Amino acid sequence: MLDKLEKKLGRYAIPHLMNWFIGGYVIGYILMAISGATNSGILSLMTLEPYYILHGQIWRIITWVMIPPAQNILFAIIMIIFYWQLGRALEQVWGTFRFNVYMFGGMIITVIAAFILYIISALVSGQWGIIGLGNYFSTDYINLSIFLAFALTFPEERVLLYFFIPVKMKWMAYLYLIFVAIDVIQAIGRGAAGIPIIVAIAASLVNFLVYFLQTKGFRGPRQSRRQRDFRRRYNGGQQWSNWQNNGSQPHTRNAQSKQVAKHKCCICGRTELTNPELDFRYCTKCNGNYEYCSDHLFTHTHVK
């Protein structure tokens, strides 16, 4: 589905989308400095508040993304730079269109979740003038989905925790999920007041799961076991072991599958046929058409 959409709508994708998000953050911090708080002044007109959106304040569907995290300005700058780097890396590996789909998909799912929460709350309470749900929805959990996406795409990539502790992304993702689980447990302990927090977290995780189940493809235990058997028996593209035992005529992999690889990593030689879980991209910094898998795209030496 994504391939078909990219052919039709790919030309409308916004390149360097993270630059626009960071620019919105900068504007949000300026407005925060002017107004002083999120729930007062200008920023109070930007929250994702379903009640006000239904009463004509349509701009809130977009402006809530500009509200920055309420934290120390120095720490916020470090985190913004960090997420900007993650987003740029994902766009280079996935492509502009797919990264657009992921980011805007997270926004759309969050907006839908906010309206569902508003409608359910109104039906339960019998009051349609519920205000204050917008304070629970921010880009914090969209940033969480970016972090998880990068960790799943580059699980072995190392980052410097506190600028000097090297940690692999997969372990950072596990730690991040533990913090999210703590937030969920605390929200459950707050009763009805914690439901908006759970909904906001669930919306970001739904976007993450939906996207990767579509792009990577879901494989059950049987399919995974069959793929492992295939790789183990294939023996470097020569002969199948069972064909050797039966005395049958050996066949090469291309002759058997009638498929020709369209992508091949210049470093490890893996293709989309041998490793369908990998993404392949050409490096724009190399002189020539050099294609790399997602494991070597950012670690290879550029050809000059």
Side-chain angles (χ1 to χ4, degrees):
M1 185 185 69
L2 284 175
D3 291 336
K4 294 179 180 178
L5 286 176
E6 187 170 6
K7 291 179 181 178
K8 295 180 179 180
L9 305 175
R11 61 181 179 274
Y12 300 112
I14 303 174
H16 310 299
L17 185 60
M18 282 304 297
N19 293 350
W20 293 93
F21 274 89
I22 300 304
Y25 266 170
V26 172
I27 296 175
Y29 273 114
I30 294 175
L31 296 177
M32 181 181 291
I34 296 174
S35 61
T38 304
N39 55 0
S40 63
I42 301 176
L43 292 183
S44 63
L45 301 175
M46 300 169 57
T47 57
L48 182 58
E49 199 67 64
Y51 174 81
Y52 290 125
I53 294 175
L54 293 174
H55 286 76
Q57 297 184 11
I58 307 298
W59 63 83
R60 291 176 179 265
I61 297 178
I62 299 176
T63 55
W64 67 276
V65 183
M66 301 170 59
I67 300 178
Q71 53 192 348
N72 181 275
I73 184 64
L74 179 60
F75 181 77
I77 292 175
I78 295 174
M79 293 305 297
I80 285 175
I81 295 175
F82 177 65
Y83 282 114
W84 176 79
Q85 292 175 335
L86 298 187
R88 287 295 304 275
L90 288 177
E91 182 176 356
Q92 290 178 8
V93 173
W94 293 354
T96 300
F97 178 78
R98 291 173 181 264
F99 184 69
N100 275 229
V101 171
Y102 188 75
M103 295 299 294
F104 288 122
M107 293 173 56
I108 293 172
I109 291 176
T110 301
V111 172
I112 293 174
F115 274 92
I116 292 176
L117 178 63
Y118 171 75
I119 293 173
I120 294 177
S121 301
L123 291 175
V124 172
S125 63
Q127 300 178 356
W128 292 90
I130 299 177
I131 300 174
L133 296 179
N135 296 327
Y136 294 96
F137 294 94
S138 66
T139 55
D140 288 347
Y141 297 112
I142 292 182
N143 291 337
L144 167 65
S145 67
I146 296 176
F147 186 89
L148 294 177
F150 187 89
L152 190 59
T153 306
F154 303 101
E156 303 300 325
E157 187 75 16
R158 295 179 182 271
V159 294
L160 294 179
L161 183 64
Y162 299 113
F163 299 103
F164 64 91
I165 304 177
V167 182
K168 289 185 177 181
M169 285 297 300
K170 60 182 180 181
W171 303 120
M172 289 286 291
Y174 293 145
L175 182 62
Y176 215 150
L177 289 175
I178 291 175
F179 289 147
V180 172
I182 294 174
D183 289 343
V184 172
I185 294 174
Q186 292 177 346
I188 294 175
R190 296 173 59 183
I195 293 179
I197 299 176
I198 298 176
V199 171
I201 295 174
S204 65
L205 294 180
V206 164
N207 177 49
F208 171 75
L209 292 176
V210 167
Y211 188 86
F212 275 94
L213 287 179
Q214 283 214 358
T215 56
K216 300 300 181 183
F218 176 73
R219 296 190 301 269
R222 182 177 300 176
Q223 289 83 357
S224 299
R225 183 172 61 253
R226 184 170 56 189
Q227 187 180 55
R228 288 195 301 268
D229 293 341
F230 171 84
R231 292 177 180 175
R232 184 175 62 251
R233 294 187 303 168
Y234 196 68
N235 192 21
Q238 298 300 319
Q239 303 180 76
W240 293 88
S241 59
N242 58 348
W243 287 346
Q244 293 174 333
N245 296 333
N246 295 332
S248 302
Q249 189 70 20
H251 296 275
T252 62
R253 175 198 195 141
N254 287 339
Q256 170 67 15
S257 64
K258 302 298 183 181
Q259 293 182 348
V260 178
K262 298 180 180 179
H263 305 281
K264 183 178 180 180
C265 179
C266 296
I267 302 296
C268 61
R270 292 181 290 182
T271 68
E272 80 278 6
L273 299 179
T274 60
N275 297 83
E277 75 279 1
L278 294 176
D279 292 318
F280 295 85
R281 290 289 184 271
Y282 287 96
C283 179
T284 57
K285 296 182 179 180
C286 290
N287 292 336
N289 295 325
Y290 292 93
E291 191 174 22
Y292 304 92
C293 66
S294 53
D295 290 339
H296 296 105
L297 181 60
F298 297 102
T299 58
H300 69 274
T301 302
H302 297 299
V303 179
K304 299 296 183 182

